Amino acid sequence: MDAVEKANEERQKRWVKDKKVGEGTYAVVYQGREAVREPSAPRDAATGRRVAIKKIKVGQFKDGLDMSAIREVKYLRELKHQNVIELLDVFSSKTNLNLVLEFLDSDLEMIIKDRALVFLPADIKSWVAMTFRGLEFCHRNFILHRDLKPNNLLIASDGQLKIADFGLARDFADPGYKMTCQVITRWYRPPELLFGSRYYGSAVDIWSVGCIFAELMLRIPYLPGESDMDQLKTTFRALGTPTEEEWPGHTKLPDYITVGQFPKPPMRDLFTAASADTINLLSKCLVYEPRKRITAREALSHPYFFALPYPTLPPKLPKCSAQLAAAAAAARPLEEVDGNVEMNSTGPGVKAKNTGLKRKLTSPEDAKRSIARRLDFTKQTPGS
Amino acid sequence: MTSPAAPSEPKISIYQGSTQFRNWRYSAEQLAQTRQTLNEVAIAAIRKTFETDESGSSQGVAFLTADEEVLLVKLYISKITQLCGLFRFPEEVEATAVTYLKRFYLKNTVMDWHPKNVMLTALFLATKTTNNPISLEIYTTHIPKTSPSDVLDLEFLVAQSLNFEFAIWHAHRALWGLWLDIQNLSSYTERLDTEIYDAALNHVRASRLTDVELRFSPSQIALASLSLIQPELASQWMESKLTSPSEVEGLAKTVEVIKSIVVSQGLPPSVESVREVDRRLRLCKNPEKVPGTKAFLARKMDDDRLAAEKRSKKVADIQRTENGDPFGNELGQKRGLVDYDDDDDDD
C-alpha cells in the first residue's frame, strides 16, 4: 500500500462514527469521537473528544471535488482561533471526503429563538465580541466569510462562539478583480451587493454582523426582506434611503434601482433599551458607504466593549434547551444514552430541525452550489 | 473581555501559522533524504511485483534514481506553464499547480504515478482552490488525448498527498508587496522603473523550477529575485527593515543561497535529457498502477474481493437483526437489504 494511502487509513482509524445525525443530498453528518488510543484506560473515563464528522459524497460530481468543500477545507486548514470552528482532521473513504470538526451543541439562531431565554445586555455584548474576534482573525488572514448569519455562529458547550461554514468564503481579491455579488444570505446582505457591486471587501461581513447584533436585541431578524428588491426596501425603511452625500457613487452600481425615498428614523426608536455606545457601534456596522463602515479590528476597540456592563463570561451565557440536554447527555457515559437522547442538536454547520423561518440563500448561486450545507432534519433518519 | 487572553500560546505571524510554514518546509538534506527514501521504497516494491509476476523479470531493469525523478518532474513543471498560457489562467493558478506538483512528489514517486497525469490533475485542482474554476469538460477538450477520467481519477490521491492543505503563499505576491514597499525607501525619490519589477518577476518564475519554495519563505525568494536585478536596492531595503547588522548579514547569506540556486537550476530541462529518463520509466513503472497489466488486475481483484466480503458481512448482520425482531418489520418501511448509499463501512 502507498504511504499516502497508509497515512489516510491511520487518520481514518483515529475517529469513530457513533451515529448518523443528519443527511442531505451531498453530505451525511455523524456524531463521533476520537478513538481511545490506550485500551487500558478506564472504560467510563476517556471515550475521546466528541466530534462531528461531515462526510461529503464526492463521487457524484462531474467536476470532481466540489467548490464549497474545497473552500471549507482550504480555509479551515489554515485558521486556528478560539472563535472559529476547528477542523481537526480530513480523510477520505472511497469516494467520500470526511471532515472531522469539533462538536458544537447549538447555534446562535437556536438561542435567539428560544423564547424561554432572557438576554441581558452583557450577554449580547459577549456574543458580539466573540463574533468580532473570530471575524477579525478571518480578515487578518485575508479571508472573507461571505455568509455570516446567526445559524452559522455555533456555540460550544463552554459558551464560546465559533464562526462556521466557510463554503462561500474566499481570499480578498486585489482591487479591480471581479467577485460575485451573489453571496451572503439575503437578510444579512449589504446594500452594495444588492446593487450588484462586483468589487468589495471585508465590509460585507461587517454589515452581516450589524444585522446579527440588531437581531440579538430584537429577537427577530432585523431586515427580513422577501426578495432582493424587497430587501433594499426593508433596509431603506429601517435606515433611510442613502443619499449621494452619505454614499457617493452608489447610483452608478450595476444593479442600482430606486425603491422609494424613506426618511432616516432614529435608531433609538427601535432599540429603545440600548445604550448610546450600543447604538453607536451598531450604526457604524450599518453605514451605507462600505469604506466608512467600521472594520472588525476597529470594532474590537470600540468603547461599547469597555463600558459597563462587561461582557458575560462565555460559560455563564444563556443556554438553549438543546444545549442543556446535550450537556446532561455528555455527563453520562455515551453508551447509556445512545438512542435515548433526542438529537435535536448536533454539530457544526449542521443543525437540528428549526421549525421557524428558514433562512436560505435565494440567489442564483444557490442552485449552483452543489453541497448541502444546510441539512434537512425534517425526516427522521434511521439510526445507522 | 469575554475571557482572559490565553497566555499559553505566544503570538506568531500569519505566515508562521500557515500550513505552508508548519508542514512544507525542508532543509536541503531533508529534501534529499525524503526523495531518496521514496525512491528506494518504490524500487523495492516494484521489484517485488515484477518478481511475483514472473520470477527473474526485475533483473536488468534500470530503475530511475531520485535525481532522475526530480528531472522528470521539472519537465512537467514547465508544461504547467505552457498549459496556463494556453488557458490564460492567472499567475496564481500556475504557481499553485507547480507547488502542488512538487509537494505531490514528496509523498509519491514518478514510478508509481507519471507526472504527465499528475500535472493535469494538479492544475485542475489549482483552478478550483484558487477560485478560478472551469468545467472539466472544457479543460479536457482543450488538452490533446485527455479524458475527464484522466484528471478525476487522480484528484483524490493528489488532494490526499497534499494533506488537503490547499492554501499556498506565493513568492510573486511577496515580490509585489516588496515592490510597493521599496518605493517608500527614503533614498529613492525618483520613480523606479517598472522594468526592474518585471525582470525580478522573471526570476521568481524561474525559481518555480527549483526547490527554493520548499526551503525558504516567499518573501526571501522575492527579495533574492529583486537582488538578482538590483542588489543595491535589495540591501538598502534589508537595512531599512532590520536593526542589527548580524540580522542583515544572516538574511543576505540566505538571499545569496537562493540566488545561486535560481540562477543555476531555474531553467527548464532539455527535452533530450528527459527523453532517456522517460523511456526507461516506461520499463520500470509500477505495473500495479498501469491499467490492463496482470499486476493491476490482480490488485483490483483483491480490492473487489475485500469489498464484496465486507458487503456480504453487512447483509448478514442486517438479516440477523431483522430476524431477531419478534414483531417483524412488515409494517415498517421496506428497506433494501443493503443500503448502498450508506457506505459507512470505513473500518
Side-chain angles (χ1 to χ4, degrees):
Chain A
M1 191 189 277
D2 294 2
V4 171
E5 283 175 41
K6 213 173 270 169
N8 181 63
E9 191 169 85
E10 265 157 35
R11 288 227 167 107
Q12 197 172 314
K13 279 190 186 139
R14 243 186 96 188
W15 308 103
V16 182
K17 288 173 183 162
D18 282 326
K19 61 183 160 196
K20 199 188 268 186
V21 289
E23 178 157 19
T25 326
Y26 302 104
V28 183
V29 177
Y30 299 88
Q31 187 191 318
R33 68 201 139 82
E34 190 166 10
V36 190
R37 277 129 189 240
E38 294 139 71
S40 58
R43 196 168 161 275
D44 57 336
T47 35
R49 173 175 189 175
R50 279 205 301 169
V51 297
I53 302 174
K54 188 166 171 180
K55 184 171 87 177
I56 300 166
K57 302 168 189 170
V58 173
Q60 62 202 54
F61 299 123
K62 75 170 175 46
D63 288 332
L65 280 171
D66 163 78
M67 282 296 288
S68 335
I70 282 182
R71 285 171 169 151
E72 185 139 33
V73 173
K74 177 182 173 186
Y75 296 119
L76 290 182
R77 268 293 197 211
E78 305 295 319
L79 296 173
K80 292 272 173 288
H81 186 273
Q82 183 171 244
N83 300 115
V84 175
I85 189 168
E86 189 178 357
L87 176 65
L88 298 160
D89 211 346
V90 185
F91 64 87
S92 55
S93 51
K94 288 183 225 155
T95 58
N96 299 314
L97 183 62
N98 294 266
L99 311 189
V100 183
L101 294 147
E102 65 179 312
F103 187 89
L104 299 164
D105 300 317
S106 63
D107 64 65
L108 206 54
E109 184 182 5
M110 293 163 71
I111 292 180
I112 290 171
K113 284 190 174 158
D114 191 331
R115 289 283 142 205
L117 301 179
V118 175
F119 297 174
L120 299 172
D123 302 334
I124 294 173
K125 193 175 285 188
S126 181
W127 284 314
V128 173
M130 291 188 281
T131 307
F132 271 125
R133 275 186 175 165
L135 187 61
E136 188 276 329
F137 187 67
C138 296
H139 289 173
R140 192 165 8 123
N141 278 276
F142 308 102
I143 295 165
L144 306 177
H145 185 281
R146 305 199 302 180
D147 198 16
L148 290 177
K149 52 181 168 180
N151 68 345
N152 280 341
L153 301 177
L154 308 189
I155 308 291
S157 51
D158 63 356
Q160 283 290 345
L161 177 148
K162 317 258 177 181
I163 298 179
D165 200 339
F166 283 72
L168 279 176
R170 65 158 294 155
D171 305 309
F172 288 13
D174 280 332
Y177 187 91
K178 266 191 177 183
M179 296 186 274
T180 173
C181 53
Q182 301 293 349
V183 288
I184 307 188
T185 303
R186 193 196 303 122
W187 298 349
Y188 306 90
R189 199 183 301 160
E192 66 266 28
L193 294 184
L194 293 162
F195 281 149
S197 177
R198 310 295 300 272
Y199 308 98
Y200 53 85
S202 53
V204 297
D205 287 334
I206 301 294
W207 181 277
S208 309
V209 177
C211 297
I212 296 164
F213 191 2
E215 187 167 338
L216 281 166
M217 291 188 268
L218 300 170
R219 301 293 291 267
I220 49 161
Y222 177 44
L223 303 171
E226 280 164 17
S227 62
D228 287 3
M229 173 87 106
D230 187 56
Q231 187 62 38
L232 280 168
K233 218 178 214 170
T234 310
T235 306
F236 296 164
R237 216 180 276 129
L239 296 161
T241 304
T243 61
E244 183 62 24
E245 197 183 31
E246 63 178 325
W247 187 5
H250 73 279
T251 55
K252 308 239 166 39
L253 288 172
D255 303 336
Y256 175 75
I257 190 167
T258 46
V259 290
Q261 287 299 318
F262 298 98
K264 196 183 182 82
M267 265 198 177
R268 171 147 307 290
D269 291 0
L270 188 58
F271 304 96
T272 45
S275 71
D277 283 331
T278 312
I279 301 249
N280 186 283
L281 177 57
L282 176 62
S283 53
K284 282 185 167 157
C285 297
L286 298 172
V287 167
Y288 281 127
E289 158 71 283
R291 281 166 293 190
K292 289 194 185 138
R293 220 169 278 158
I294 198 166
T295 65
R297 200 186 166 83
E298 289 161 359
L300 287 175
S301 19
H302 190 277
Y304 167 69
F305 293 115
F306 301 95
L308 287 169
Y310 291 140
T312 310
L313 289 173
K316 302 212 164 103
L317 283 166
K319 286 187 167 62
C320 64
S321 48
Q323 254 176 307
L324 295 170
R332 283 172 283 162
L334 250 171
E335 290 78 11
E336 284 177 34
V337 296
D338 234 12
N340 234 338
V341 165
E342 191 158 58
M343 277 312 295
N344 54 355
S345 140
T346 65
V350 197
K351 263 97 31 176
K353 170 179 72 178
N354 275 314
T355 38
L357 275 164
K358 266 265 187 260
R359 293 149 203 243
K360 279 193 87 176
L361 185 77
T362 42
S363 63
E365 180 127 340
D366 204 21
K368 275 187 276 160
R369 210 162 63 185
S370 36
I371 94 159
R373 298 181 314 106
R374 211 39 66 234
L375 298 182
D376 184 10
F377 281 76
T378 45
K379 73 174 183 245
Q380 195 71 35
T381 50
S384 58
Chain B
M1 275 176 279
T2 48
S3 67
S8 51
E9 285 175 45
K11 286 212 166 182
I12 53 166
S13 72
I14 296 283
Y15 172 65
Q16 285 172 313
S18 71
T19 50
Q20 177 160 332
F21 179 85
R22 287 184 282 128
N23 305 335
W24 297 98
R25 278 189 338 145
Y26 303 81
S27 67
E29 296 71 37
Q30 284 170 327
L31 276 180
Q33 186 61 49
T34 305
R35 286 170 174 151
Q36 190 58 40
T37 311
L38 272 172
N39 180 268
E40 282 164 14
V41 171
I43 291 176
I46 297 168
R47 205 181 276 281
K48 202 175 138 208
T49 314
F50 276 143
E51 293 295 326
T52 324
D53 201 25
E54 196 182 330
S55 179
S57 63
S58 77
Q59 293 294 312
V61 175
F63 290 99
L64 301 193
T65 65
D67 285 344
E68 287 168 332
E69 290 197 44
V70 172
L71 186 70
L72 196 60
V73 172
K74 197 167 166 179
L75 178 76
Y76 283 94
I77 290 175
S78 64
K79 300 261 183 212
I80 289 179
T81 306
Q82 289 173 15
L83 272 179
C84 286
L86 173 75
F87 284 106
R88 293 167 188 254
F89 286 145
E91 182 136 28
E92 193 191 2
V93 175
E94 178 182 339
T96 304
V98 169
T99 307
Y100 287 176
L101 191 67
K102 282 184 204 162
R103 289 185 181 181
F104 180 87
Y105 285 110
L106 291 174
K107 306 278 174 189
N108 302 279
T109 107
V110 300
M111 288 181 277
D112 279 347
W113 310 104
H114 198 288
K116 185 179 71 188
N117 304 78
V118 177
M119 175 269 286
L120 292 176
T121 307
L123 180 55
F124 183 66
L125 188 60
T127 63
K128 293 193 278 184
T129 58
T130 59
N131 211 24
N132 294 285
I134 69 165
S135 95
L136 181 60
E137 205 187 325
I138 293 175
Y139 182 70
T140 49
T141 48
H142 283 81
I143 305 171
K145 288 183 277 180
T146 307
S147 72
S149 72
D150 289 336
V151 176
L152 281 197
D153 287 353
L154 290 180
E155 193 180 41
F156 234 64
L157 178 75
V158 172
Q160 238 174 55
S161 303
L162 299 173
N163 200 12
F164 300 97
E165 289 162 357
F166 298 135
I168 311 288
W169 293 69
H170 294 297
H172 70 272
R173 297 294 296 159
L175 180 67
W176 179 243
L178 182 60
W179 175 247
L180 297 178
D181 204 41
I182 52 173
Q183 300 182 42
N184 290 329
L185 284 177
S186 52
S187 48
Y188 281 82
T189 44
E190 293 157 56
R191 249 188 107 206
L192 285 163
D193 196 341
T194 53
E195 276 173 26
I196 301 171
Y197 171 76
D198 293 338
L201 183 59
N202 280 335
H203 284 300
V204 167
R205 288 177 177 150
S207 81
R208 289 187 197 133
L209 289 160
T210 73
D211 282 340
V212 292
E213 65 172 301
L214 301 167
R215 294 178 52 193
F216 304 98
S217 74
S219 53
Q220 289 169 335
I221 299 167
L223 185 58
S225 300
L226 178 70
S227 178
L228 279 165
I229 305 298
Q230 288 262 321
E232 190 48 32
L233 191 55
S235 31
Q236 278 190 27
W237 183 83
M238 271 190 255
E239 280 156 23
S240 76
K241 291 289 156 184
L242 300 170
T243 41
S244 84
S246 65
E247 278 181 312
V248 176
E249 202 184 313
L251 181 55
K253 239 182 228 160
T254 307
V255 164
E256 287 310 314
V257 173
I258 299 171
K259 279 160 80 172
S260 75
I261 300 175
V262 171
V263 170
S264 61
Q265 293 162 36
L267 290 168
S270 72
V271 179
E272 287 310 307
S273 63
V274 183
R275 189 167 289 153
E276 195 271 334
V277 175
D278 199 30
R279 191 186 51 77
R280 267 169 46 221
L281 177 57
R282 249 172 279 159
L283 304 174
C284 65
K285 249 191 298 199
N286 187 348
E288 281 189 351
K289 316 277 168 149
V290 184
T293 60
K294 262 196 235 171
F296 179 86
L297 292 175
R299 185 178 162 148
K300 194 168 177 318
M301 268 168 63
D302 245 21
D303 288 350
D304 288 350
R305 185 180 49 76
L306 278 176
E309 273 174 15
K310 247 182 207 173
R311 207 166 288 148
S312 48
K313 182 175 171 288
K314 199 162 177 178
V315 174
D317 284 351
I318 291 172
Q319 274 172 337
R320 208 178 313 124
T321 27
E322 288 187 350
N323 292 341
D325 182 357
F327 299 105
N329 64 343
E330 290 82 3
L331 296 175
Q333 275 180 313
K334 260 279 186 272
R335 277 178 69 198
L337 274 184
V338 186
D339 181 2
Y340 285 100
D341 284 334
D342 177 26
D343 45 2
D344 183 33
D345 48 353
D346 304 329
D347 45 319

